[in-house]
Amino acid sequence: MKIKKILVSQPQPTSPKSPYFEIAKKHDVEIVFRPMIKVEPLTVKEFRQSKINLAEYTAVIFTARTAIDNFFRLCEESRVNVPDTMRYFCTTEQIALYLQKYIVYRKRKISFGLTGRLDDPQFISAVQKNHKEKFLIPVSDILPERMEALSALKIDLTPAMMYRTVSNDFTPDEKCDYDLMLFFSPVGIHSLLKNVPDFVKDGKQKALIGTFGAPTAQAVKDSGLELAIEAPTKEMPSMTSALDDFLSRHNAQVP
């Protein structure tokens, strides 16, 4: 059966130049952006239980825009003034540019990686050059992948849970009528099985599954599901490149 309808379990891209839109046009498929998870901010009271003093840190590592929002929110609600001397390290340029929502963007205080990974060489190099800083990394209840790359640097680093990831439940009239579903977090897989308890019926899945990141792929395997697309790989470093390649091969084989 040809792939005609795809779920991408992320918010819809804001840029019309997103590769997803190009893929939809190239392969004549419908792509629906429907997050399977959502973020719940921790309250100030909950955050204070960690006994982390935000004013003590001189550098912050951001892996997502959500982390930026929650860091500055908690600083404001805790009445912590973020100094102009604070240094920021982001895993992508897009995340770094998002900082403009809260601060005056100065390149000398903001560094970013190229791949979005914590073990990205450019990102690691920037952190190493500033190894004497006291680093904070805002995280959810699920730690970012490749945290060990930072631990290996032997820097003063504190993970600070500022938000949690929970299932974004289906509405009563919402259908699961996709041919392929793409996931980016283990919580997304758990959300799928919670919302679609008959996802596997008579030994068959309702849809093919693709994942980004080793933990998400492992969650699929642990759930007894079959995996059709697994990224990143050396050949396919992004979800979009893996999807494009898969559709080219799969739909060409099906009449």
Side-chain angles (χ1 to χ4, degrees), residues 40-48 54 69-82 102 162:
E40 287 186 350
L42 262 64
T43 64
V44 173
K45 184 178 179 180
E46 289 175 317
F47 180 71
R48 282 175 178 160
L54 296 173
D69 287 335
N70 282 282
F71 171 75
F72 284 99
R73 173 186 63 83
L74 283 171
C75 284
E76 182 179 359
E77 293 177 2
S78 303
R79 298 181 182 178
V80 172
N81 181 42
V82 180
Y102 297 98
M162 294 186 172

mmCIF file of all heavy atoms in Angstrom, residues 40-48 54 69-82 102 162:
data_model
loop_
_atom_site.group_PDB
_atom_site.id
_atom_site.type_symbol
_atom_site.label_atom_id
_atom_site.label_comp_id
_atom_site.label_asym_id
_atom_site.label_seq_id
_atom_site.Cartn_x
_atom_site.Cartn_y
_atom_site.Cartn_z
ATOM 1 N N GLU A 40 4.314 20.825 30.118
ATOM 2 C CA GLU A 40 3.691 21.472 31.279
ATOM 3 C C GLU A 40 4.785 22.145 32.088
ATOM 4 O O GLU A 40 5.712 21.481 32.564
ATOM 5 C CB GLU A 40 2.955 20.448 32.151
ATOM 6 C CG GLU A 40 1.669 19.928 31.551
ATOM 7 C CD GLU A 40 0.912 19.029 32.514
ATOM 8 O OE1 GLU A 40 1.490 18.670 33.576
ATOM 9 O OE2 GLU A 40 -0.235 18.671 32.215
ATOM 10 N N PRO A 41 4.738 23.460 32.232
ATOM 11 C CA PRO A 41 5.764 24.162 33.008
ATOM 12 C C PRO A 41 5.689 23.796 34.486
ATOM 13 O O PRO A 41 4.606 23.580 35.031
ATOM 14 C CB PRO A 41 5.425 25.643 32.796
ATOM 15 C CG PRO A 41 4.421 25.683 31.696
ATOM 16 C CD PRO A 41 3.732 24.377 31.688
ATOM 17 N N LEU A 42 6.843 23.722 35.131
ATOM 18 C CA LEU A 42 6.862 23.572 36.580
ATOM 19 C C LEU A 42 6.521 24.909 37.219
ATOM 20 O O LEU A 42 6.911 25.961 36.698
ATOM 21 C CB LEU A 42 8.254 23.135 37.063
ATOM 22 C CG LEU A 42 8.454 21.638 37.333
ATOM 23 C CD1 LEU A 42 8.288 20.844 36.044
ATOM 24 C CD2 LEU A 42 9.819 21.383 37.951
ATOM 25 N N THR A 43 5.811 24.891 38.310
ATOM 26 C CA THR A 43 5.539 26.122 39.043
ATOM 27 C C THR A 43 6.799 26.518 39.799
ATOM 28 O O THR A 43 7.722 25.712 39.980
ATOM 29 C CB THR A 43 4.392 25.922 40.034
ATOM 30 O OG1 THR A 43 4.803 24.954 41.028
ATOM 31 C CG2 THR A 43 3.129 25.417 39.336
ATOM 32 N N VAL A 44 6.834 27.773 40.249
ATOM 33 C CA VAL A 44 7.979 28.234 41.032
ATOM 34 C C VAL A 44 8.127 27.372 42.286
ATOM 35 O O VAL A 44 9.241 27.002 42.681
ATOM 36 C CB VAL A 44 7.810 29.716 41.422
ATOM 37 C CG1 VAL A 44 8.911 30.143 42.385
ATOM 38 C CG2 VAL A 44 7.856 30.592 40.186
ATOM 39 N N LYS A 45 7.000 27.039 42.903
ATOM 40 C CA LYS A 45 7.035 26.224 44.123
ATOM 41 C C LYS A 45 7.657 24.864 43.844
ATOM 42 O O LYS A 45 8.484 24.367 44.623
ATOM 43 C CB LYS A 45 5.617 26.057 44.670
ATOM 44 C CG LYS A 45 5.548 25.297 45.985
ATOM 45 C CD LYS A 45 4.118 25.206 46.492
ATOM 46 C CE LYS A 45 4.046 24.428 47.802
ATOM 47 N NZ LYS A 45 2.647 24.327 48.303
ATOM 48 N N GLU A 46 7.289 24.246 42.716
ATOM 49 C CA GLU A 46 7.853 22.950 42.349
ATOM 50 C C GLU A 46 9.347 23.077 42.053
ATOM 51 O O GLU A 46 10.146 22.233 42.475
ATOM 52 C CB GLU A 46 7.131 22.392 41.115
ATOM 53 C CG GLU A 46 5.711 21.929 41.379
ATOM 54 C CD GLU A 46 4.996 21.502 40.116
ATOM 55 O OE1 GLU A 46 5.132 22.211 39.093
ATOM 56 O OE2 GLU A 46 4.311 20.468 40.122
ATOM 57 N N PHE A 47 9.714 24.135 41.329
ATOM 58 C CA PHE A 47 11.117 24.304 40.960
ATOM 59 C C PHE A 47 11.989 24.537 42.192
ATOM 60 O O PHE A 47 13.125 24.055 42.264
ATOM 61 C CB PHE A 47 11.278 25.471 39.985
ATOM 62 C CG PHE A 47 12.707 25.712 39.566
ATOM 63 C CD1 PHE A 47 13.352 24.822 38.733
ATOM 64 C CD2 PHE A 47 13.403 26.806 40.039
ATOM 65 C CE1 PHE A 47 14.682 25.022 38.360
ATOM 66 C CE2 PHE A 47 14.719 27.025 39.679
ATOM 67 C CZ PHE A 47 15.357 26.126 38.835
ATOM 68 N N ARG A 48 11.488 25.266 43.171
ATOM 69 C CA ARG A 48 12.271 25.565 44.374
ATOM 70 C C ARG A 48 12.628 24.313 45.161
ATOM 71 O O ARG A 48 13.590 24.309 45.925
ATOM 72 C CB ARG A 48 11.505 26.554 45.252
ATOM 73 C CG ARG A 48 11.592 27.993 44.736
ATOM 74 C CD ARG A 48 10.743 28.935 45.538
ATOM 75 N NE ARG A 48 10.866 30.309 45.056
ATOM 76 C CZ ARG A 48 9.985 31.273 45.296
ATOM 77 N NH1 ARG A 48 8.900 31.013 46.017
ATOM 78 N NH2 ARG A 48 10.176 32.492 44.807
ATOM 79 N N LEU A 54 19.182 30.084 40.724
ATOM 80 C CA LEU A 54 19.429 30.530 39.355
ATOM 81 C C LEU A 54 20.453 31.659 39.280
ATOM 82 O O LEU A 54 21.150 31.811 38.274
ATOM 83 C CB LEU A 54 18.117 30.973 38.702
ATOM 84 C CG LEU A 54 17.066 29.869 38.514
ATOM 85 C CD1 LEU A 54 15.758 30.463 38.026
ATOM 86 C CD2 LEU A 54 17.570 28.816 37.532
ATOM 87 N N ASP A 69 12.062 29.566 27.014
ATOM 88 C CA ASP A 69 10.848 30.166 27.587
ATOM 89 C C ASP A 69 10.749 29.893 29.078
ATOM 90 O O ASP A 69 10.443 30.795 29.874
ATOM 91 C CB ASP A 69 9.604 29.609 26.883
ATOM 92 C CG ASP A 69 9.423 30.157 25.483
ATOM 93 O OD1 ASP A 69 9.920 31.267 25.201
ATOM 94 O OD2 ASP A 69 8.790 29.470 24.657
ATOM 95 N N ASN A 70 10.995 28.647 29.464
ATOM 96 C CA ASN A 70 10.826 28.289 30.869
ATOM 97 C C ASN A 70 11.942 28.827 31.753
ATOM 98 O O ASN A 70 11.708 29.157 32.919
ATOM 99 C CB ASN A 70 10.694 26.771 31.010
ATOM 100 C CG ASN A 70 9.306 26.281 30.645
ATOM 101 O OD1 ASN A 70 8.370 26.403 31.430
ATOM 102 N ND2 ASN A 70 9.157 25.756 29.440
ATOM 103 N N PHE A 71 13.141 28.951 31.214
ATOM 104 C CA PHE A 71 14.239 29.543 31.983
ATOM 105 C C PHE A 71 13.927 30.996 32.338
ATOM 106 O O PHE A 71 14.000 31.397 33.513
ATOM 107 C CB PHE A 71 15.542 29.462 31.193
ATOM 108 C CG PHE A 71 16.670 30.243 31.813
ATOM 109 C CD1 PHE A 71 17.331 29.782 32.945
ATOM 110 C CD2 PHE A 71 17.065 31.460 31.267
ATOM 111 C CE1 PHE A 71 18.363 30.516 33.524
ATOM 112 C CE2 PHE A 71 18.098 32.195 31.834
ATOM 113 C CZ PHE A 71 18.748 31.717 32.967
ATOM 114 N N PHE A 72 13.564 31.780 31.349
ATOM 115 C CA PHE A 72 13.304 33.196 31.603
ATOM 116 C C PHE A 72 12.013 33.396 32.410
ATOM 117 O O PHE A 72 11.911 34.331 33.202
ATOM 118 C CB PHE A 72 13.265 33.976 30.290
ATOM 119 C CG PHE A 72 14.633 34.221 29.710
ATOM 120 C CD1 PHE A 72 15.128 33.408 28.700
ATOM 121 C CD2 PHE A 72 15.438 35.243 30.189
ATOM 122 C CE1 PHE A 72 16.401 33.614 28.174
ATOM 123 C CE2 PHE A 72 16.716 35.463 29.673
ATOM 124 C CZ PHE A 72 17.195 34.646 28.661
ATOM 125 N N ARG A 73 11.057 32.491 32.211
ATOM 126 C CA ARG A 73 9.835 32.575 33.017
ATOM 127 C C ARG A 73 10.131 32.356 34.489
ATOM 128 O O ARG A 73 9.682 33.123 35.352
ATOM 129 C CB ARG A 73 8.815 31.525 32.526
ATOM 130 C CG ARG A 73 7.567 31.416 33.420
ATOM 131 C CD ARG A 73 6.675 30.279 32.974
ATOM 132 N NE ARG A 73 7.323 28.982 33.084
ATOM 133 C CZ ARG A 73 7.389 28.268 34.208
ATOM 134 N NH1 ARG A 73 6.860 28.736 35.340
ATOM 135 N NH2 ARG A 73 7.986 27.092 34.226
ATOM 136 N N LEU A 74 10.905 31.316 34.778
ATOM 137 C CA LEU A 74 11.227 31.021 36.177
ATOM 138 C C LEU A 74 12.126 32.081 36.790
ATOM 139 O O LEU A 74 11.996 32.393 37.988
ATOM 140 C CB LEU A 74 11.865 29.638 36.288
ATOM 141 C CG LEU A 74 10.889 28.462 36.192
ATOM 142 C CD1 LEU A 74 11.631 27.137 36.095
ATOM 143 C CD2 LEU A 74 9.935 28.449 37.387
ATOM 144 N N CYS A 75 13.013 32.643 35.984
ATOM 145 C CA CYS A 75 13.843 33.750 36.498
ATOM 146 C C CYS A 75 12.960 34.922 36.903
ATOM 147 O O CYS A 75 13.131 35.516 37.976
ATOM 148 C CB CYS A 75 14.850 34.196 35.440
ATOM 149 S SG CYS A 75 16.255 33.085 35.244
ATOM 150 N N GLU A 76 12.002 35.246 36.046
ATOM 151 C CA GLU A 76 11.108 36.365 36.334
ATOM 152 C C GLU A 76 10.240 36.088 37.561
ATOM 153 O O GLU A 76 10.108 36.930 38.443
ATOM 154 C CB GLU A 76 10.217 36.645 35.125
ATOM 155 C CG GLU A 76 9.272 37.820 35.314
ATOM 156 C CD GLU A 76 8.408 38.086 34.098
ATOM 157 O OE1 GLU A 76 8.546 37.381 33.079
ATOM 158 O OE2 GLU A 76 7.560 39.011 34.174
ATOM 159 N N GLU A 77 9.667 34.883 37.610
ATOM 160 C CA GLU A 77 8.779 34.551 38.722
ATOM 161 C C GLU A 77 9.544 34.380 40.029
ATOM 162 O O GLU A 77 8.973 34.530 41.109
ATOM 163 C CB GLU A 77 7.991 33.284 38.387
ATOM 164 C CG GLU A 77 7.005 33.490 37.237
ATOM 165 C CD GLU A 77 6.277 32.221 36.844
ATOM 166 O OE1 GLU A 77 6.508 31.171 37.482
ATOM 167 O OE2 GLU A 77 5.467 32.274 35.895
ATOM 168 N N SER A 78 10.831 34.051 39.928
ATOM 169 C CA SER A 78 11.675 33.926 41.124
ATOM 170 C C SER A 78 12.366 35.242 41.475
ATOM 171 O O SER A 78 13.145 35.305 42.422
ATOM 172 C CB SER A 78 12.743 32.844 40.901
ATOM 173 O OG SER A 78 12.166 31.604 40.586
ATOM 174 N N ARG A 79 12.101 36.265 40.649
ATOM 175 C CA ARG A 79 12.696 37.593 40.838
ATOM 176 C C ARG A 79 14.223 37.548 40.762
ATOM 177 O O ARG A 79 14.927 38.202 41.534
ATOM 178 C CB ARG A 79 12.237 38.205 42.165
ATOM 179 C CG ARG A 79 10.725 38.421 42.218
ATOM 180 C CD ARG A 79 10.286 39.037 43.508
ATOM 181 N NE ARG A 79 8.831 39.194 43.542
ATOM 182 C CZ ARG A 79 8.145 39.674 44.573
ATOM 183 N NH1 ARG A 79 8.799 40.049 45.680
ATOM 184 N NH2 ARG A 79 6.840 39.789 44.530
ATOM 185 N N VAL A 80 14.700 36.761 39.810
ATOM 186 C CA VAL A 80 16.138 36.669 39.557
ATOM 187 C C VAL A 80 16.452 37.504 38.326
ATOM 188 O O VAL A 80 15.878 37.280 37.248
ATOM 189 C CB VAL A 80 16.582 35.210 39.333
ATOM 190 C CG1 VAL A 80 18.034 35.160 38.879
ATOM 191 C CG2 VAL A 80 16.388 34.395 40.595
ATOM 192 N N ASN A 81 17.347 38.447 38.468
ATOM 193 C CA ASN A 81 17.748 39.291 37.347
ATOM 194 C C ASN A 81 18.847 38.586 36.546
ATOM 195 O O ASN A 81 19.911 38.270 37.091
ATOM 196 C CB ASN A 81 18.258 40.639 37.859
ATOM 197 C CG ASN A 81 18.669 41.558 36.729
ATOM 198 O OD1 ASN A 81 17.982 41.644 35.721
ATOM 199 N ND2 ASN A 81 19.809 42.229 36.885
ATOM 200 N N VAL A 82 18.586 38.331 35.271
ATOM 201 C CA VAL A 82 19.586 37.677 34.429
ATOM 202 C C VAL A 82 20.602 38.737 33.994
ATOM 203 O O VAL A 82 20.260 39.681 33.287
ATOM 204 C CB VAL A 82 18.940 37.034 33.187
ATOM 205 C CG1 VAL A 82 20.010 36.351 32.332
ATOM 206 C CG2 VAL A 82 17.865 36.036 33.591
ATOM 207 N N TYR A 102 14.104 37.583 24.418
ATOM 208 C CA TYR A 102 14.334 37.926 25.818
ATOM 209 C C TYR A 102 15.552 38.822 26.052
ATOM 210 O O TYR A 102 15.607 39.503 27.076
ATOM 211 C CB TYR A 102 14.516 36.639 26.634
ATOM 212 C CG TYR A 102 13.291 35.761 26.645
ATOM 213 C CD1 TYR A 102 13.173 34.675 25.770
ATOM 214 C CD2 TYR A 102 12.240 36.020 27.515
ATOM 215 C CE1 TYR A 102 12.046 33.877 25.775
ATOM 216 C CE2 TYR A 102 11.106 35.214 27.528
ATOM 217 C CZ TYR A 102 11.014 34.150 26.650
ATOM 218 O OH TYR A 102 9.894 33.358 26.648
ATOM 219 N N MET A 162 12.761 22.105 34.468
ATOM 220 C CA MET A 162 11.908 23.291 34.508
ATOM 221 C C MET A 162 10.532 23.045 33.888
ATOM 222 O O MET A 162 9.647 23.891 33.993
ATOM 223 C CB MET A 162 12.590 24.443 33.776
ATOM 224 C CG MET A 162 13.866 24.915 34.464
ATOM 225 S SD MET A 162 14.555 26.375 33.675
ATOM 226 C CE MET A 162 15.875 26.790 34.849
#
